[in-house]
Amino acid sequence: MPGEGKTDMERVGLFSEMEYVTIGDKYVSHYMRPFNEAASKNKQMLPGGTKMLSALQAGYFEPQFVRVFEGEAYSNPVQLRRRYRLAESKKNMGKAFLPSNGVKLPCGMGTYYGTIGGPYPFFSAQLRGKTAYAPPGKNLYTNPGKKGTGYGYPNLTIGKQYPHSSDVYEIGKMNAKKVHEDHLRLVKGGPFKLNLYPREYFDINPYYDDKPLAPAKKPTPEKPVAHPFKPSSPAKKSGGMKAGTFDPYPSHSAEPYVVKYSKPITTNKEGRIFHPPTGSKSRPSTSIMALNVTR
């Protein structure tokens, strides 16, 4: 139960807690108990059984056979179709339409019977005139490949032989030594050495500076800005105040804030506010089928 607010029983909408259904009931054994006891007591509904479809009238709902069309005239559909075709044939103005002859088939290979045009000269079997045979030119003659591996055997390449150029031993080391000597000649004095105790910074305050501060700059004089021309305001609209009137807004008088109620508050003898009782509330209910199964 909560400390403040309504209890659970008040939320359900009951005056008191309902009694339990299973308290005080006699125990009935479920051994060899029929599922539906009412089905085995008193008289039961006995239907007459199903009827089989037969040529007799007993298999139908009606006492006698009823025709779908009673007293309809006899009609022959074949005769009606013949009469319709004769009536349509009288509407023809001339003779019956005969289509043209069918496609003619060729008699054999190389014949043009059945075609629209005659033979084409491009597909004729006549041989064309041949020109005299001109033998082709001679092949390109080259020297045979020279023997040798290329190492120690001269004149084995396609082009000319590469000229020999002298290469001084350890030329890279000599060039580096010459560059270093030129650098030492240009250096003045020895290397810079700081004979102080090593620290994190040169001083405790890395931002400290011995030089005096520069004199403060005088601010530039500001030029007086002339007020721009401002046209007169248009007529104001009264929006629930004295904005659009000629007289100024009246002075406000001090007034304490007091809540005003339209109706007096109804209280009981103890001085508490009266709350009307709530209406009927719905509560969860169990179906009859579930109750019978449980019991």
Side-chain angles (χ1 to χ4, degrees):
M1 181 181 294
E4 298 180 359
K6 298 179 180 181
T7 60
D8 296 339
M9 297 303 301
E10 292 178 354
R11 290 193 183 93
V12 176
L14 302 176
F15 292 99
S16 61
E17 189 176 1
M18 297 296 293
E19 297 180 355
Y20 294 98
V21 181
T22 57
I23 296 178
D25 294 347
K26 294 182 179 180
Y27 175 75
V28 179
S29 177
H30 294 275
Y31 180 72
M32 296 298 291
R33 181 182 178 184
F35 178 75
N36 190 1
E37 296 181 0
S40 60
K41 298 179 181 180
N42 301 328
K43 295 182 179 181
Q44 307 297 327
M45 183 178 65
L46 300 176
T50 58
K51 296 181 180 180
M52 301 299 295
L53 183 64
S54 61
L56 303 178
Q57 197 63 32
Y60 299 93
F61 293 97
E62 299 293 336
Q64 59 182 358
F65 183 76
V66 182
R67 293 177 56 86
V68 180
F69 296 100
E70 189 71 23
E72 71 274 12
Y74 174 74
S75 59
N76 190 358
V78 179
Q79 186 179 6
L80 294 177
R81 285 197 296 269
R82 291 176 180 175
R83 291 179 181 178
Y84 176 76
R85 286 199 296 269
L86 290 175
E88 292 293 329
S89 62
K90 293 180 180 179
K91 298 180 182 179
N92 296 332
M93 302 297 294
K95 297 180 180 180
F97 172 74
L98 297 177
S100 59
N101 296 333
V103 180
K104 297 180 181 180
L105 300 177
C107 299
M109 296 290 293
T111 60
Y112 294 92
Y113 178 77
T115 58
I116 300 175
Y120 291 92
F122 305 102
F123 297 101
S124 62
Q126 186 179 0
L127 300 177
R128 295 185 301 172
K130 297 183 179 180
T131 58
Y133 173 75
K138 295 182 179 181
N139 295 330
L140 179 66
Y141 290 99
T142 58
N143 292 331
K146 298 179 180 180
K147 298 180 180 180
T149 59
Y151 296 98
Y153 293 87
N155 300 326
L156 294 181
T157 58
I158 298 176
K160 297 181 179 180
Q161 186 68 19
Y162 294 105
H164 176 71
S165 59
S166 60
D167 186 9
V168 182
Y169 183 70
E170 294 184 352
I171 186 66
K173 185 177 181 180
M174 297 171 62
N175 293 338
K177 183 178 180 181
K178 184 178 180 181
V179 172
H180 183 64
E181 291 177 354
D182 295 342
H183 172 69
L184 294 178
R185 188 175 65 254
L186 297 176
V187 171
K188 296 180 180 180
F192 174 75
K193 296 181 181 181
L194 185 63
N195 298 326
L196 294 177
Y197 182 77
R199 297 179 181 179
E200 187 177 359
Y201 300 102
F202 292 98
D203 198 356
I204 297 176
N205 186 6
Y207 302 101
Y208 178 76
D209 192 5
D210 297 336
K211 296 180 181 180
L213 297 176
K217 296 182 180 180
K218 295 181 180 181
T220 56
E222 297 181 358
K223 296 181 180 181
V225 181
H227 293 284
F229 171 74
K230 183 179 180 181
S232 60
S233 302
K236 299 179 180 179
K237 297 179 180 180
S238 58
M241 55 182 180
K242 299 288 184 178
T245 58
F246 293 98
D247 298 334
Y249 192 77
S251 60
H252 178 69
S253 60
E255 181 181 357
Y257 175 75
V258 179
V259 180
K260 296 181 179 180
Y261 296 97
S262 58
K263 296 181 180 180
I265 301 174
T266 306
T267 58
N268 53 8
K269 297 179 180 180
E270 298 178 359
R272 296 183 180 180
I273 301 174
F274 172 73
H275 293 283
T278 57
S280 59
K281 299 179 181 179
S282 61
R283 62 187 183 88
S285 59
T286 312
S287 64
I288 299 175
M289 179 68 72
L291 290 175
N292 291 332
V293 172
T294 306
R295 295 187 62 180

